[in-house]
């Protein structure tokens, strides 16, 4: 079951670090369903990340949120 905390990040620009690799993804969280988080990067690349493999999610500052809104 996905926590409400993760669902509250839908629509926000975040940096997501994965525990199984050194991969760090920055993008807008577009959906959170069951064990998966959907993240769209600025270039349009769509990633489906397993929530159980996420080490850290960092919410980007409001200035970054506004810049992403302007680009859309």
């Amino acid at each position: 079951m996905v926590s409400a905390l993760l669902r509250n990040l839908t629509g926000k620009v975040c940096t997501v670090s994965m525990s199984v690799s050194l991969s760090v993804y920055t993008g807008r969280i577009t959906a959170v369903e069951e064990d998966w988080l959907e993240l769209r990067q600025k270039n349009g690349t769509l990633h489906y990340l397993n929530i159980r493999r996420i080490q850290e999610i960092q919410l980007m500052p409001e200035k970054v949120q506004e810049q992403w809104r302007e680009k859309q």
Side-chain angles (χ1 to χ4, degrees):
M1 183 175 165
V2 177
S3 73
L5 186 62
L6 286 178
R7 288 193 195 277
N8 288 337
L9 293 176
T10 302
K12 302 289 186 184
V13 179
C14 298
T15 299
V16 180
S17 302
M18 303 302 291
S19 63
V20 294
S21 67
L22 298 176
S23 300
V24 176
Y25 301 96
T26 300
R28 183 177 308 280
I29 297 174
T30 54
V32 178
E33 296 293 330
E34 298 192 21
D35 289 341
W36 296 93
L37 182 140
E38 183 182 79
L39 182 125
R40 182 175 302 277
Q41 291 183 304
K42 210 173 228 184
N43 66 3
T45 302
L46 193 60
H47 294 278
Y48 293 94
L49 307 173
N50 190 300
I51 291 172
R52 295 175 187 209
R53 304 275 190 236
I54 293 174
Q55 181 177 357
E56 178 183 24
I57 300 176
Q58 184 178 32
L59 183 63
M60 299 302 283
E62 189 59 37
K63 183 177 179 179
V64 175
Q65 303 289 332
E66 290 172 12
Q67 289 172 347
W68 276 61
R69 278 187 223 119
E70 292 171 4
K71 300 277 181 179
Q72 291 183 335

